[in-house]
Amino acid sequence: MGFISRGFHGRPRDEGVKLPPGQYLVHDFPVLSAGPTPRVPLDRWEFAIDTEDGRTHRWSWRELMALPSETPTVDLHCVTKWSKLGTAWKGVSLDTLFADVESSAEYALVYSYGGYTTNLPVEDLLDGKAWIVYEFDGEELAAAHGGPARLLVPHLYLWKSAKWVQGIRLLNEDWPGFWETAGYHNYGDPWREQRYQGD
Amino acid sequence: MNGRRLVWRIARLVEIRDETPSARTLVFQIPDWPGHLAGQHVDIRLTAEDGYSTQRSYSIAAPADGERVELTIQRVPDGEVSPYLSEELAVGDEVEIRGPVGGWFVWRPDGTAPVLLVAGGSGIVPLMAMIRARRQAGSRTPFRLVYSLREPGERYYAGELRRPDPGLDVTYLYTRVVPDGWARPPGRLTVADLNTGGWPADFTPACYVCGPTGFVETAADILLAMGHDARAIKTERFGPTGG
Ligand SMILES: Cc1cc2nc3c(=O)[nH]c(=O)nc-3n(C[C@H](O)[C@H](O)[C@H](O)COP(=O)(O)OP(=O)(O)OC[C@H]3O[C@@H](n4cnc5c(N)ncnc54)[C@H](O)[C@@H]3O)c2cc1C
């Protein structure tokens, strides 16, 4: 490449921290969403997994809370360039939610209260890689950050971690979600800097 | 969606216009720029001599105009990138830019629904691109802009927004300091402001809200409470604080 910006020095580098290409470190928690923040009352909240042959598995809020929880501490990478390290969450592993789901589908379309969608391969949801989380930093998850519950898939750019998650539809073919249709990368691996289509 | 790859291009700064003491408009010339829609943004990449590089997003301030791309950069104290762009970069200097990015927060001149633009601070930038695109296209779509700022000296594009533009109404709100004789006391955006300066929900306007996260959250919540359809409210959060 070899391009240099005249007179640009940047912040002192913290050699101990390795970030994905093009990312910078923040200590606050920025918000990115395409519209207003939906508010979902817990007594009407429901999470569903819909299989490719039309069966639906459902959990009420109370049922979700009754499931074994985990407390992952993970790094977040947002496509708008910020990264936040060591964030502490509490929620239910998708392995737990998928335990009784019979499916051979390869693709998932995650949908949210408010209409947001995002797609990813089913295998990226399993084997300890993804959670439905409802607490951040020991507090209930704020609506602006996706509460009452959001998906957390920290190995992909944060737009894949759908806020206000309502369900996951399992599909035999890949359906692009909201940002994926608007020109963002279909998979979104921050370490390969897959921000936009064609990256 | 068109599957076009977003490549990094070398952009040369060709013009600088001061907007306020802490913000300036930069006009870049970018060879083979593919064009863009009002509301989209670009990514800028800066690279230091030791190879360290960092990227930030900036909204485009004007509609497509060949190879010219205009941005307005607010200096954020202690920021890594914005002080460099808003103070150091000189005409003739080059940066790397790629884009356009974002196919959602856009206004197209064939849109017929009335438009409400709600800007907080530098959130005016992509909304100004929409205002300019409307004017350039000779569109008669009625526009209303509600522009919230700390004080009158922070207005961007002040001269241009003062000039009559039939079908565009502009309302300024000041949160800290108001001009002499100004009726509205200083304060944050309220329902009353959007009632007066916006459109009734039954006109089904397209709403665009842009600014710092906290401002966008408040404005979008007020619009929902006024009965606007959530799907008609598009937001862009410049972040990162608040929320
Ligand atoms: C889609 C998009 C479009 C954007 N368009 C514009 C634009 O048109 N014009 C523009 O000036 N900026 C715009 N921004 C913001 C811009 O990308 C940078 O975040 C901003 O310039 C600060 O970068 P920095 O490197 O100077 O600060 P950093 O080094 O990243 O941050 C330094 C400190 O300032 C705080 N900070 C960062 N950004 C802001 C902010 N915007 N307001 C207040 N405090 C802040 C940080 O929390 C941090 O504490 C946009 C952001 C997005 C996501």
Side-chain angles (χ1 to χ4, degrees):
Chain A
M1 199 175 13
F3 182 86
I4 304 278
S5 317
R6 181 195 61 81
F8 176 70
H9 307 292
R11 285 249 166 71
R13 334 284 183 247
D14 184 343
E15 305 297 346
V17 182
K18 192 167 170 351
L19 292 177
Q23 295 294 110
Y24 64 93
L25 203 55
V26 300
H27 299 284
D28 55 359
F29 194 169
V31 173
L32 180 84
S33 4
T37 295
R39 304 283 189 303
V40 195
L42 293 185
D43 54 356
R44 281 197 311 209
W45 186 91
E46 187 178 80
F47 176 73
I49 298 178
D50 314 291
T51 66
E52 69 274 26
D53 49 14
R55 274 171 301 163
T56 300
H57 301 251
R58 289 177 213 281
W59 292 265
S60 67
W61 185 257
R62 194 183 291 223
E63 287 163 340
L64 185 81
M65 293 302 123
L67 292 173
S69 61
E70 298 183 2
T71 52
T73 295
V74 299
D75 301 340
L76 306 180
H77 307 294
C78 179
V79 71
T80 63
K81 325 281 169 352
W82 56 267
S83 291
K84 184 173 174 62
L85 305 184
T87 60
W89 301 85
K90 181 174 178 188
V92 177
S93 165
L94 278 178
D95 294 318
T96 305
L97 293 161
F98 271 90
D100 295 324
V101 176
E102 263 178 61
S103 164
S104 58
E106 284 179 47
Y107 301 101
L109 184 69
V110 184
Y111 55 94
S112 296
Y113 293 94
Y116 182 76
T117 57
T118 187
N119 59 306
L120 68 176
V122 173
E123 62 176 342
D124 286 84
L125 292 172
L126 301 177
D127 296 326
K129 292 199 281 289
W131 297 264
I132 301 295
V133 290
Y134 45 78
E135 274 185 23
F136 169 69
D137 239 356
E139 312 254 348
E140 66 181 46
L141 184 57
H145 290 303
R150 74 182 295 169
L151 179 66
L152 180 67
V153 211
H155 69 287
L156 301 177
Y157 280 125
L158 199 56
W159 89 80
K160 298 283 184 180
S161 293
K163 299 183 192 181
W164 317 296
V165 68
Q166 183 175 15
I168 298 176
R169 206 164 149 188
L170 303 176
L171 300 161
N172 289 322
E173 55 186 304
D174 197 9
W175 286 12
F178 179 84
W179 289 118
E180 294 81 2
T181 310
Y184 285 77
H185 197 274
N186 197 53
Y187 184 63
D189 179 351
W191 295 97
R192 287 185 278 165
E193 205 172 0
Q194 295 174 333
R195 295 181 200 277
Y196 312 120
Q197 266 173 47
D199 276 357
Chain B
M1 190 162 59
N2 51 19
R4 178 168 38 77
R5 245 196 93 151
L6 293 180
V7 295
W8 288 105
R9 294 183 162 87
I10 308 267
R12 177 183 296 272
L13 184 62
V14 293
E15 191 183 324
I16 298 176
R17 289 197 298 273
D18 288 333
E19 299 292 347
T20 72
S22 60
R24 62 182 198 175
T25 292
L26 305 180
V27 184
F28 291 96
Q29 161 114 22
I30 313 179
D32 302 321
W33 181 250
H36 56 267
L37 297 167
Q40 290 188 295
H41 63 270
V42 297
D43 287 351
I44 292 195
R45 179 164 69 187
L46 301 179
T47 305
E49 269 175 37
D50 65 354
Y52 167 81
S53 82
T54 192
Q55 303 178 21
R56 295 291 186 279
S57 300
Y58 291 97
S59 300
I60 308 174
D65 177 15
E67 301 192 328
R68 281 168 70 92
V69 172
E70 262 186 65
L71 313 176
T72 305
I73 316 280
Q74 175 68 45
R75 175 165 48 79
V76 171
D78 302 323
E80 181 173 37
V81 169
S82 62
Y84 176 80
L85 294 176
S86 64
E87 287 169 347
E88 277 193 47
L89 203 68
V91 166
D93 282 347
E94 295 176 328
V95 297
E96 288 181 292
I97 289 186
R98 70 173 182 159
V101 183
W104 170 248
F105 194 82
V106 295
W107 180 77
R108 293 180 171 81
D110 58 5
T112 51
V115 170
L116 171 62
L117 309 174
V118 186
S122 54
I124 185 67
V125 178
L127 308 183
M128 194 63 191
M130 298 178 189
I131 289 171
R132 288 168 166 166
R134 171 185 182 274
R135 193 187 310 136
Q136 188 187 59
S139 157
R140 297 194 180 188
T141 300
F143 268 44
R144 287 188 170 169
L145 167 67
V146 176
Y147 184 4
S148 169
L149 300 134
R150 269 190 295 240
E151 51 184 284
E154 291 191 349
R155 282 178 296 172
Y156 293 6
Y157 322 120
E160 187 176 342
L161 286 174
R162 206 178 296 122
R163 279 195 293 279
D165 190 346
L168 167 70
D169 296 328
V170 181
T171 306
Y172 290 100
L173 310 175
Y174 299 107
T175 60
R176 302 253 177 93
V177 181
V178 295
D180 285 343
W182 194 257
R184 182 189 181 278
R188 293 184 179 278
L189 182 77
T190 65
V191 183
D193 294 320
L194 287 180
N195 255 326
T196 324
W199 301 103
D202 39 330
F203 286 29
T204 61
C207 305
Y208 298 86
V209 184
C210 186
T213 296
F215 175 85
V216 171
E217 287 292 311
T218 306
D221 285 349
I222 293 175
L223 290 171
L224 283 179
M226 288 170 64
H228 292 275
D229 183 350
R231 285 163 300 183
I233 307 170
K234 299 191 176 185
T235 61
E236 186 92 280
R237 292 161 170 87
F238 279 7
T241 40

